[in-house]
Amino acid sequence: MTDHPTFPDVVRLTAAATAAAIAAGELSAVEATQAALDRIAKVDDTIHAFLHVDAEGALAAARSVDERRAAGEALGPLAGVPLALKDVLTARDMPTTCGSRILEGWHAPYDATVVSRLRAADVVVLGKVNMDEFAMGSSTENSAYGPTRNPWDTTRIPGGSSGGSAAAVAAFEAPLAIGTDTGGSIRQPAAVCGLVGVKPTYGGVSRYGLVAFSSSLDQAGPLARTVTDAALLHAAIAGHDPLDSTSVDVPVPPVVEAAGRRDVRGLRVGVVRELAGEGYDPGVEAAFAAAVEALTELGAEVVEVSCPHFQYALAAYYLIAPSECSSNLARFDAMRFGLRLGDDGQAGAEEVMSRTREAGFGPEVKRRVILGTYALSSGYYDAYYGQAQKVRTLISRDFAAAFERVDVLVSPTTPTPAFPLGSKVDDPVAMYLSDLCTIPSNLAGGPAMSLPAGLVDGLPVGIQIMAPPFADDRLYLVGGALEEALDARRGHPLVAEAPAL
Ligand code: GLN
């Protein structure tokens, strides 16, 4: 079934090419979907990206696309394209676990807005993919359902918390995936899996149905193999939603058009001085420098910019995110959702709640709930949470000052390539350092993209592009031009070099 006379390697097509072939009647949506399902059957025992595959639902959605195409209906630019959905977004017809035991077996009664928009765009949702429990982590090792492996080297982590999303796309199980990013969880997995990943401007994509980790930081966005594919997916999910009070009522930036412009002459690019040096792998720095060089060759004006408060971003994040999570996760009280333990007719509500949370949450979630409860407690609130909020303001001001001088900022996406599975599980602080470069954009709310920069000892690393809030199109403008230049230099897209599985 995977073999198709015109497209023998259907699963390697970009989303744009898949949709174009379907629209032209050269490939059916059912064939594209079946090819993805066959690929999952072949490689997912090794990769473990998927927690739930909805083969029947996916094929039914694909059949509907084929029928409507045959009837002459005009279809959208992603109609019939398969997608992997991070298991932190609700979908009516699938379980939602957030990578946690506490939600095992729970079915949401409604679709997240991102999911209803995907359905409206006729994107075929293949199923739910793995993640660090409640999106807390950088390796997907905090999933209660076992780790996902990096397709480039299956002894290594695929990044996190959207590791299942990234691994599925890098392993050619789907051309597209949805991830979420609170401190880097789309961009860091994209970087270490050789993909394009975008955290949209906070408020640009609805959080309705996105199970909250840290509500003031969480944002859903696209993972894809090309900048154009990411733009098409971004455009499909973005836009105002009255169901999310933090969704902003402004027009969606013209991301698809920007991805295709391929002209950065005269554009001002700032290299962030603070996101380099000690702790950064020399290979990462070299790949980053080469990508910046390519931007110069394309006619961009590159300058160095200082953002002095970025050095406090990680510390501020690890007060704000746990504080918000301690409050958000209070809803898992054994009464309303999922697991309930110790309800023997004798134990009181508090006892049931405590037994359920003890067994249902993993160690990282507990660590953060305790941290956040402490940081918010009376007597410590001003010293910790209040202070972190002040630092957050200073970081936003650093961005604002920088964007008076430049159009976009750039840095490496991560300090190192993918690390071996197991190597940081016992050292939370070492794990937290994975997000050194990505956290500032979450704290300030602006959009940011990770784009493949090159390989370091056979492992992908990324360049991060950051833009002011609501200028998401600038990421795609720079990303599209740089991708074209880097692909031309190596003769093909980076992900084409991923080892066969
Ligand atoms: N790795 C970071 C954390 O553990 C970011 C997670 C995320 O973006 N969801 O909090």
Side-chain angles (χ1 to χ4, degrees), residues 135-138 161 181-185 213 317-318 368 435:
M136 298 174 200
S138 303
S161 63
D181 191 311
T182 304
S185 281
F213 158 20
Y317 173 87
Y318 277 100
R368 301 216 189 178
D435 298 303

Side-chain angles (χ1 to χ4, degrees), residues 20-384:
I22 291 170
E26 298 160 356
L27 176 73
S28 72
V30 166
E31 285 166 333
T33 302
Q34 189 60 52
L37 293 170
D38 290 349
R39 179 73 182 164
I40 294 168
K42 177 160 180 241
V43 303
D44 211 56
D45 279 351
T46 307
I47 299 299
H48 190 47
F50 280 82
L51 295 178
H52 176 79
V53 178
D54 181 19
E56 255 176 56
L59 287 167
R63 263 193 305 276
S64 153
V65 170
D66 289 336
E67 281 160 18
R68 283 178 290 128
R69 195 199 80 84
E73 194 178 302
L75 300 171
L78 288 177
V81 177
L83 172 139
L85 182 65
K86 186 175 180 180
D87 200 16
V88 71
L89 288 139
T90 60
R92 231 184 308 106
D93 46 2
M94 291 178 220
T96 298
T97 70
C98 300
S100 183
R101 282 277 170 238
I102 213 159
L103 280 178
E104 198 166 14
W106 181 65
H107 273 72
Y110 66 102
D111 281 342
T113 296
V114 164
V115 173
S116 39
R117 292 199 175 165
L118 291 171
R119 297 195 207 272
D122 286 314
V123 172
V124 173
V125 181
L126 295 168
K128 295 293 204 73
V129 282
N130 204 8
M131 56 183 284
D132 286 298
E133 185 173 10
F134 288 107
M136 298 174 200
S138 303
S139 68
T140 316
E141 292 165 298
N142 293 338
S143 168
Y145 303 99
T148 297
R149 292 170 183 276
N150 190 320
W152 289 80
D153 176 348
T154 54
T155 68
R156 289 176 189 264
I157 59 107
S161 63
S162 309
S165 307
V169 177
F172 300 98
E173 294 172 276
L176 296 175
I178 294 286
T180 63
D181 191 311
T182 304
S185 281
I186 291 174
R187 290 161 285 160
Q188 182 256 8
V192 302
C193 287
L195 304 174
V196 179
V198 176
K199 180 198 91 71
T201 297
Y202 182 81
V205 174
S206 172
R207 290 186 303 107
Y208 181 74
L210 192 184
V211 180
F213 158 20
S214 181
S215 317
S216 77
L217 302 165
D218 300 340
Q219 195 62 195
L223 286 123
R225 289 182 220 121
T226 68
V227 171
T228 294
D229 281 3
L232 290 167
L233 184 53
H234 189 142
I237 60 172
H240 181 239
D241 177 13
L243 298 173
D244 169 7
S245 62
T246 60
S247 154
V248 182
D249 194 0
V250 296
V252 177
V255 292
V256 177
E257 185 269 326
R261 218 179 309 155
R262 315 276 151 114
D263 182 3
V264 291
R265 281 172 298 172
L267 196 94
R268 296 164 307 162
V269 175
V271 175
V272 182
R273 185 184 305 150
E274 286 75 12
L275 300 180
E278 203 191 330
Y280 288 77
D281 182 292
V284 168
E285 296 208 295
F288 173 67
V292 172
E293 178 69 35
L295 282 171
T296 308
E297 282 165 19
L298 289 168
E301 291 169 23
V302 180
V303 294
E304 195 181 73
V305 170
S306 175
C307 295
H309 300 96
F310 280 20
Q311 59 176 311
Y312 307 116
L314 198 71
Y317 173 87
Y318 277 100
L319 288 166
I320 293 169
S323 295
E324 292 188 15
C325 107
S326 71
S327 168
N328 273 323
L329 269 55
R331 67 171 60 89
F332 302 108
D333 57 2
M335 306 296 143
R336 287 178 282 189
F337 310 93
L339 194 69
R340 178 183 297 186
L341 295 178
D343 185 9
D344 54 8
Q346 304 292 313
E350 269 189 30
E351 174 72 21
V352 172
M353 195 186 305
S354 119
R355 280 205 223 165
T356 303
R357 287 168 69 90
E358 162 66 32
F361 287 146
E364 183 63 22
V365 170
K366 286 178 185 154
R367 183 177 299 126
R368 301 216 189 178
V369 168
I370 291 167
L371 246 168
T373 306
Y374 182 76
L376 291 176
S377 59
S378 79
Y380 293 103
Y381 183 96
D382 287 337
Y384 294 120

